[in-house]
Amino acid sequence: MMMQSGKADGMETTARGAAAGRTATLGRLRSALGEEAAYHWAPPGGRVPVERGLDAVRFLREYVAQNRPVIIDGLVDEWPAAQRWDPAYLCGAAGSQKLHVNVTPGGHGDCVRDGVFVKPAEVEMTMQEFFDKLGQGTNRDLGADQDGEGVPYLSHQNDNLRQELPFLEADLPDGFALAQAAFGPLEACNLWIGDERAVSSMHLDHFENFYAVIEGEKVFHLLPPCFHPALFLGEASFPAATWQRDDHGAWAAVRDDPAASVPWIPYDPVTQPEQFSPQVTEALVECHVQRGQILYLPAMWLHRASQTRLTVAVNYWFDMAFDLRWVYHNALGAACETDALNDDDDDEKASTKDNDSAHDE
């Protein structure tokens, strides 16, 4: 029994040493990536630059090729939408057309709550009903959510402007020349309307994103792609659920059927900075996009989105090139998965050792 116990202790010591080595390696990787991000990717002065009169060549050379965000000024002012899109106009233009609106009890969509990844409830309503619930409609002046119905956010995506509101395309340019010169055909055009309570949690997209603010102010918190969610931000897999409101007005996160899981970042770097390393909090860039401005957000940049007040915006998605960015991102993710699997193996070995010891006794 003593020999078996000694052998088990040796295996445990070896496993702990290997785990410590992996932890140290990942620590060095985080440190190196953080330093590289600070040197190569951090916007000058911690601010996303604002450009006016940006031509396609300089846009490609200074921002696309370097994978850096930029705010573009002076384009939206020429769009008819900039003069027309107030609640009364949008309600009149949409008429009785039903829209898909995301609704949550607290305004946070696609986020982790109590160990579950929760998606918004999807409710069909007219534009007038949406603005009334938002508290910005022509029929009432109440603050939204006074009746417990939740916070509505027109954020359905999936090309919702062209699919559900194609008549609004006449108020937008026929083609987004700067973006199309860089990335080719448009993949999707989405309409976003919400107020200061609506928040999109930190995530990344596999699209080149041009986010145009028609009215209001959008706030983005940004991190460059080297801050891999699994390596820096605590990304893990969570069971998926959807917000539902019962007949008594109570909200509950109802698990998806069939069961599914979603990898997601469980914390908010703005409201829970203590959950992140100084590398992350120091690299986080706050970016305010004002009325008439467009944010170019490169594919795979992490971002959290919110508004300071009622904000109407349109974004254009273009497919990203699945190039070295994609390769490096997957390699970092695989390294983190391997480490997690090895940790599981260590737990299993420790469990086996305990079981063997118990059997010996």
Side-chain angles (χ1 to χ4, degrees), residues 246-262:
D246 64 24
D247 295 337
H248 303 288
W251 286 92
V254 178
R255 297 286 183 95
D256 287 2
D257 185 15
S261 61
V262 177

Side-chain angles (χ1 to χ4, degrees), residues 90-280:
L90 291 171
C91 290
S96 60
Q97 171 70 35
K98 290 289 186 179
L99 312 174
H100 289 88
V101 175
N102 291 328
V103 183
T104 58
H108 291 255
D110 286 352
C111 64
V112 175
R113 288 289 181 270
D114 299 322
V116 178
F117 173 78
V118 192
K119 296 165 289 186
E122 199 172 278
V123 182
E124 287 192 353
M125 61 184 77
T126 65
M127 186 72 79
Q128 181 68 67
E129 290 169 339
F130 165 71
F131 274 110
D132 285 343
K133 291 184 181 298
L134 196 62
Q136 300 290 338
T138 56
N139 292 339
R140 66 172 178 148
D141 243 347
L142 298 176
D145 204 28
Q146 290 190 8
D147 53 7
E149 291 187 0
V151 178
Y153 187 26
L154 209 167
S155 56
H156 185 57
Q157 304 174 57
N158 299 325
D159 204 21
N160 73 339
L161 190 142
R162 294 193 297 184
Q163 297 299 318
E164 296 188 344
L165 298 159
F167 38 82
L168 292 179
E169 288 187 80
D171 296 333
L172 301 171
D174 290 336
F176 196 165
L178 183 67
Q180 289 171 326
F183 302 115
L186 177 66
E187 175 66 21
C189 180
N190 303 304
L191 176 65
W192 305 78
I193 307 177
D195 62 18
E196 65 277 6
R197 295 163 303 157
V199 177
S200 297
S201 61
M202 183 70 79
H203 66 285
L204 61 84
D205 297 314
H206 300 115
F207 294 101
E208 306 289 353
N209 190 357
F210 291 79
Y211 201 100
V213 175
I214 308 298
E215 185 58 61
E217 180 186 41
K218 198 81 177 182
V219 181
F220 291 89
H221 288 83
L222 309 177
L223 285 170
C226 66
F227 286 93
H228 193 286
L231 187 61
F232 285 93
L233 307 177
E235 181 186 71
S237 188
F238 298 93
T242 303
W243 284 117
Q244 292 185 18
R245 186 169 178 257
D246 64 24
D247 295 337
H248 303 288
W251 286 92
V254 178
R255 297 286 183 95
D256 287 2
D257 185 15
S261 61
V262 177
W264 207 257
I265 300 165
Y267 305 113
D268 186 330
V270 176
T271 62
Q272 300 170 294
E274 70 281 358
Q275 299 292 340
F276 301 92
S277 70
Q279 281 180 313
V280 172

Side-chain angles (χ1 to χ4, degrees), residues 2 14 19 57 61 64 71 84 94 100 120-121 136 150 154 156 173 224 259 265 305 323 334 346 350 361:
M2 290 180 64
T14 301
V57 172
R61 183 177 64 242
V64 176
I71 294 173
R84 297 174 181 171
H100 289 88
Q136 300 290 338
L154 209 167
H156 185 57
I265 300 165
D323 49 21
D346 294 341
E361 290 177 356

Side-chain angles (χ1 to χ4, degrees), residues 284-303:
L284 192 67
V285 175
E286 184 173 316
C287 171
H288 290 247
V289 187
Q290 308 291 342
R291 180 185 187 278
Q293 294 182 326
I294 300 172
L295 171 67
Y296 163 59
L297 183 63
M300 302 185 75
W301 270 67
L302 291 126
H303 54 287

